[in-house]
């Protein structure tokens, strides 16, 4: 049974605990232990506080999330919560997904690349910390108008209580559900997803919130 890490050293031993490979030679963390330790040291030297969140090392400043570390097949991924606001003159930062707004990441493949990009990483860390300490709100582009799938509109017509509950959700929660529904290619799958989420919506919960 997968074990969730309790601290950084434990993370190096058991991985993120999201699959059965944790703690085995096949865990993605294993090939990158030295690289993870090197990046960790640089992050701590920047003055950030370390803890485990979402089963990976997360680094905060005055309680605010700044960056996380994790291991992928091709290297160590360094993820900045406000990466979209950083000056990326080196062109290293990537967008996690089409619908990502603030987060950005880059992957360090090996120790040679780490040494080559050490100064860039230090600069990103410094700037990310400054963003938090200045107290500036997260910049975000105006939210895009999300399309409501036809199936959801039909269900809303049949279930006014569900429509009202959906309208009371925060914009972020509504967006999460709409992305989940519209990602399904088949109408039947969209209907099933909506049905499975009905109770959560009525309870005012987001898609991934615990009941």
């Amino acid at each position: 049974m997968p074990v969730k890490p309790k601290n950084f050293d434990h993370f190096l031993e058991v991985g993120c605990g999201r699959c059965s490979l944790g703690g085995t030679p096949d865990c993605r963390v294993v090939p990158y232990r030295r690289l993870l330790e090197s990046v960790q040291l640089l992050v701590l030297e920047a003055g950030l506080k370390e803890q485990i969140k979402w089963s990976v090392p997360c680094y905060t400043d005055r309680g605010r999330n700044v960056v996380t570390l994790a291991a992928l097949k091709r290297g160590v991924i360094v993820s900045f919560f406000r990466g979209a606001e950083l000056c990326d003159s080196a062109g290293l930062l990537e967008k996690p997904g089409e619908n990502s707004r603030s987060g950005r990441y880059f992957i360090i493949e090996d120790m040679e690349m780490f040494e080559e990009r050490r100064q860039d990483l230090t600069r990103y860390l410094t700037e990310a910390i400054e963003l938090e300490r200045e107290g500036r709100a997260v910049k975000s582009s105006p939210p895009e108008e999300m399309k409501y799938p036809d199936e959801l509109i039909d269900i809303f017509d049949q279930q006014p209580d569900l429509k009202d509950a959906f309208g009371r959700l925060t914009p972020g929660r509504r967006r999460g559900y709409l992305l989940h529904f519209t990602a399904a290619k088949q109408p039947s799958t969209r209907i099933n997803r909506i049905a499975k989420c009905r109770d959560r919506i009525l309870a005012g919960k987001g898609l991934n919130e615990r009941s």
Side-chain angles (χ1 to χ4, degrees), residues 5 8 49 55 101 111 144 162 205:
F8 184 83
K49 182 179 178 180
S55 297
R101 296 185 179 181
M111 286 301 301
E144 299 175 5
L162 184 62
K205 299 287 186 179

Side-chain angles (χ1 to χ4, degrees), residues 116-190:
E116 290 176 352
R117 296 302 184 184
R118 178 189 290 268
Q119 291 185 345
D120 293 312
L121 178 55
T122 299
R123 178 169 55 80
Y124 289 150
L125 288 167
T126 300
E127 187 175 349
I129 293 170
E130 289 175 353
L131 278 174
E132 296 299 344
R133 292 187 177 180
E134 287 172 2
R136 281 187 276 164
V138 177
K139 291 182 181 179
S140 61
S141 56
E144 299 175 5
E145 189 68 27
M146 291 293 298
K147 181 180 179 181
Y148 282 47
D150 293 339
E151 296 78 12
L152 183 61
I153 294 174
D154 290 342
I155 290 174
F156 280 167
D157 288 341
Q158 300 167 18
Q159 303 179 34
D161 58 336
L162 184 62
K163 181 179 180 179
D164 291 342
F166 194 82
R168 290 194 297 270
L169 295 175
T170 62
R173 286 172 175 156
R174 289 198 300 270
R175 179 180 176 82
Y177 280 117
L178 291 174
L179 289 172
H180 179 58
F181 298 152
T182 57
K185 295 182 179 180
Q186 300 297 324
S188 59
T189 306
R190 290 193 287 271

Side-chain angles (χ1 to χ4, degrees), residues 45-68:
E45 287 176 345
L48 294 176
K49 182 179 178 180
E50 180 180 84
Q51 54 190 293
I52 297 294
K53 290 186 178 183
W54 308 287
S55 297
V56 298
C58 178
Y59 299 86
T60 64
D61 181 73
R62 302 178 185 181
R64 299 179 68 88
N65 299 325
V66 177
V67 66
T68 62

Side-chain angles (χ1 to χ4, degrees), residues 14-103:
V14 303
C16 65
R18 294 172 181 162
C19 71
S20 60
L21 298 178
T24 75
D26 295 321
C27 177
R28 292 179 180 179
V29 169
V30 173
Y32 300 111
R33 285 180 178 175
R34 182 185 171 208
L35 182 55
L36 281 163
E37 289 174 335
S38 298
V39 178
Q40 178 217 27
L41 180 59
L42 192 66
V43 174
L44 292 178
E45 287 176 345
L48 294 176
K49 182 179 178 180
E50 180 180 84
Q51 54 190 293
I52 297 294
K53 290 186 178 183
W54 308 287
S55 297
V56 298
C58 178
Y59 299 86
T60 64
D61 181 73
R62 302 178 185 181
R64 299 179 68 88
N65 299 325
V66 177
V67 66
T68 62
L69 302 183
L72 300 179
K73 284 185 178 180
R74 63 187 183 97
V76 171
I77 180 170
V78 185
S79 301
F80 290 89
F81 284 85
R82 298 181 65 169
E85 299 175 66
L86 301 180
C87 178
D88 185 25
S89 57
L92 298 176
L93 299 178
E94 298 181 44
K95 197 173 182 179
E98 181 181 350
N99 299 298
S100 300
R101 296 185 179 181
S102 300

